[in-house]
Amino acid sequence: MLLDGIQNYAIFMMDTQGRILSWNAGAERIKGYSSDQIIGHNFSCFFPPEDIKRGRPEEVLRITAASGRYEEQGMRMRKDGSRFLASVTFTALRDQAGNLRGFSEFSHDLSENKESGAKYRGLLEAAPDAMVVVNQAGEIVLLNVRAEKQFGYSRDELIGQQVKNIIPEGFAERLIADGTRSAAEALAQQIGTGIELIARRKDGSEFPIEIMLSPLGSAEGILVTAAIRDISTRQDAEAHLAQMEGRYRGLLEAAPDAMVVVNPAGEIVLLNVQAEKQFGYSRDELVGQQVKNIIPKGFAERLIADGTRSAAEALAQQIGTGIELNGRRRDGTEFPIEIMLSPLESAEGRYRGLLEAAPDAMVVVKPAGEIVLLNVQAEKQFGYHRDELVGQKVKNIIPQGFAERLIADGTRSAAEALAQQIGTGIELNGRRKDGSEFPIEIMLSPLESAEGVLVTAAIRNITERKKSEEHLVKTVGELKRSNDELQQFAYVSSHDLQEPLRMVTSYTQLLAGRYKGRLDSDADEFIAFAVDGCNRMQGLIKDLLAYSRAGTNGKVLREVSAENALKEALANLRATIDQSGAIVTHDALPAIRTDEMQLTQVFQNLVGNAIKYHRTEVPRVHVSATKNGGNEWAFSVRDNGLGIDPQYFDRIFILFQRLHGRDEFEGTGIGLAICKKILERLGGRIWVESQLEKGSTFYFALPETREK
Ligand code: ADP
């Protein structure tokens, strides 16, 4: 009756084999068996199966028999199979002769401990994290409802189990002493530090956790309380952030401008490769430095609040306006820069800010052609809202030529395919949400990431550029047409003028021949003027015809001897050469693929001028040719004549421009214009070097074209 009064303790006696002989009410309450049910059974049924297997009950009795008394905290099982941590005291019962007669057990359920247990449980259940209490053997002795939920077990299934069942690695090991340190020391090192491990639910699924350990000195020895936090969402967030960082870094590097991110203290926290290049520093040298080092004035000041406005306001006023400042390179040299500021907040915000600050539309695309990220410029240019584009195929906004570039074909891998595109502007068409298309230029840059190779495309709307290009093409076309018309006009008019002019000339010559000396002296003079005018007009018309014809007759390109062309020209100039007594010499001249008639014409004009514009001494002309830079022949015609003032070097090649009056030298001002036209049509050019009174050298160069 006395023993039955003790409700908080299980008290019973066993024989030497551990068979139960007596049973109190406390034992019935704690262990769940009535005395009828248990008396005669072996006490080993109170042990968990794994302990029975390793012979723990027998061992306990042996130890008790040997030492008289034995205490332990151990896991026990109730009749219903649930487990609890018990504090147990065994005593060996001996008769007066000292023979072993049996054993008694005093035990209680530790979680029922009034002083610590209840308080403890309250705390446990109030904790925001899953909590389990583990003993030195790695057994779970206590847990809260959150732990049940997180691991998907009921309390009873976990109590007494090895913590390894729910945290397979890294927890139990931390409780254990090794050669160099005690369990207490081992544990002490872990306390207060979050340890990231993997937890396993009852259904076998795993999830990342962070545990915080704290030891609890108790009557039962050191127990360890672990607060367990499911960090899968945090890890997702971290992974997301890392992913975002990766994506944005690609964007940052793909941006055509130098970009730096500066904190409110004016320190550089991030920069791209263009910034490295422009300022001549390596990244490591700049990160953490004051931005003042690279932009001495006007930048840091803009980050700072003053009496009338906050820093945010100060900054807000600057946003989107280009500010002209000076940059300073590592070597101390300065250069003018324009900066655009934009504020950003978090880590992700930091990259997003960069992205949004980029002047081009930018999209990041997965290898499968899916858009994963874009900036506000992209929204604007394509007329979509961001949400409408993320996850969509890039083909929707760039129908052709982009997605194809991401794809491997028979002869090259995707990476190779891409490598060929990098850094080259590719002209494509963009399509807006409303279906309208516009010309774009894209620059691709690849970015290795956990998601595979992501491709960042900087997209520039080149509508304006295209317009001006088209305008140019149109203008050139119009110019050509009007030029052709002019040519036609010049040809037709000069050709048709010849007929009436021939008549006028013939009749004035007739007048001059028949009536010279038969009219008065004035009449003779007038007739002479008329004849002179006719001759000049004939010359002019002949030259104009030559000019309008120059280069128009289908070019007959043949391998011709420049020497022959020169000889032909000199034959045409025979009279002039004989009259002036000029001496014309030449070096060996090359064979060249060109139009022979036109080359002859050029030589004739240049040698003709060289003789015509002479000084008092005998005109000397020398013709030569050199290979110029490997792929063209430069011919020269050098004279010892009057020379030309350098200020007129360009003018003399213009139609009708002359430096000498007709009273000094006959001429129409067409000869050099013809040469220029011919040479330009043949893909060459003409120029002059000269000094007044020192003679002139006319050069012309022709490309050395090969037969195709
Ligand atoms: P033209 O000889 O019929 O006047 P060109 O077009 O051949 O017309 O020459 C234009 C002008 O360039 C000439 O009027 C002359 O003033 C100047 N010029 C051309 N060749 C020479 C030369 N070899 N020396 C000096 N002046 C020259």
Side-chain angles (χ1 to χ4, degrees), residues 178-249:
D178 60 28
T180 58
R181 49 181 200 176
S182 71
E185 279 168 354
L187 193 60
Q189 292 175 0
Q190 316 295 338
I191 290 161
T193 27
I195 306 160
E196 296 196 2
L197 298 173
I198 298 291
R200 183 182 293 154
R201 296 196 191 83
K202 189 179 180 182
D203 64 11
S205 60
E206 302 202 330
F207 60 103
I209 54 168
E210 185 188 67
I211 63 173
M212 297 277 287
L213 301 179
S214 73
L216 171 72
S218 77
E220 300 93 36
I222 294 176
L223 295 177
V224 175
T225 305
I228 301 167
R229 188 161 295 177
D230 181 344
I231 56 169
S232 44
T233 43
R234 190 178 82 197
Q235 285 201 342
D236 282 354
E238 277 169 3
H240 178 71
L241 197 64
Q243 199 181 60
M244 288 313 243
E245 289 220 354
R247 287 175 183 175
Y248 285 117
R249 171 151 297 277

Side-chain angles (χ1 to χ4, degrees), residues 490-633:
Y491 178 77
V492 170
S493 52
S494 43
H495 182 266
D496 291 358
L497 275 174
Q498 280 194 315
E499 181 53 37
L501 180 61
R502 225 175 274 132
M503 201 157 91
V504 174
T505 311
S506 313
Y507 281 101
T508 28
Q509 277 168 353
L510 216 57
L511 272 179
R514 272 212 207 149
Y515 296 97
K516 192 169 166 84
R518 295 171 66 181
L519 304 170
D520 63 15
S521 61
D522 273 359
D524 283 352
E525 204 185 352
F526 295 165
I527 291 171
F529 283 152
V531 170
D532 182 46
C534 283
N535 287 338
R536 275 198 290 124
M537 194 183 275
Q538 261 178 339
L540 200 60
I541 288 175
K542 190 174 99 306
D543 282 357
L544 262 181
L545 255 174
Y547 179 77
S548 64
R549 276 182 186 143
T552 51
N553 321 345
K555 285 177 279 181
V556 195
L557 296 190
R558 269 186 294 115
E559 185 86 5
V560 299
S561 155
E563 222 162 295
N564 279 349
L566 177 64
K567 272 186 192 136
E568 183 81 23
L570 296 183
N572 295 342
L573 290 168
R574 160 88 0 103
T576 319
I577 294 171
D578 288 350
Q579 265 170 37
S580 61
I583 301 164
V584 183
T585 55
H586 66 86
D587 293 337
L589 299 180
I592 185 167
R593 205 176 144 69
T594 192
D595 180 314
E596 187 167 20
M597 287 249 299
Q598 296 190 341
L599 184 59
T600 302
Q601 172 94 71
V602 170
F603 275 133
Q604 194 172 320
N605 288 0
L606 294 182
V607 175
N609 279 349
I611 295 169
K612 181 160 52 164
Y613 297 103
H614 64 88
R615 289 182 291 172
T616 42
E617 66 238 60
V618 172
R620 285 176 186 276
V621 185
H622 185 74
V623 181
S624 176
T626 53
K627 199 74 171 273
N628 190 11
N631 52 5
E632 59 176 23
W633 279 102

Side-chain angles (χ1 to χ4, degrees), residues 91 142 475 511:
T91 311
L142 209 62
T475 312
L511 272 179

Side-chain angles (χ1 to χ4, degrees), residues 543 605-606 609-610 612-613 639 642-644 652 654 657-660 666-673 696 698:
D543 282 357
N605 288 0
L606 294 182
N609 279 349
K612 181 160 52 164
Y613 297 103
D639 67 47
L642 291 166
I644 302 167
I652 54 174
I654 296 170
Q657 295 293 328
R658 308 194 64 214
L659 302 181
H660 298 91
E666 283 287 336
T668 55
I670 296 176
L672 288 179
S696 316
F698 281 81

Side-chain angles (χ1 to χ4, degrees), residues 242-274:
Q243 199 181 60
M244 288 313 243
E245 289 220 354
R247 287 175 183 175
Y248 285 117
R249 171 151 297 277
L251 285 169
L252 175 60
E253 298 300 352
D257 295 316
M259 299 189 114
V260 297
V261 179
V262 173
N263 66 16
E267 289 161 358
I268 299 171
V269 296
L270 199 71
L271 64 148
N272 68 357
V273 69
Q274 284 81 350

Side-chain angles (χ1 to χ4, degrees), residues 352-390:
R352 176 151 295 277
L354 282 169
L355 171 62
E356 299 301 355
D360 293 315
M362 299 191 99
V363 298
V364 181
V365 175
K366 276 195 204 168
E370 221 176 83
I371 299 171
V372 293
L373 203 70
L374 63 147
N375 67 357
V376 71
Q377 283 81 350
E379 288 183 289
K380 276 194 204 148
Q381 273 194 19
F382 292 96
Y384 284 93
H385 185 261
R386 195 166 301 225
D387 297 341
E388 296 175 301
L389 283 180
V390 169

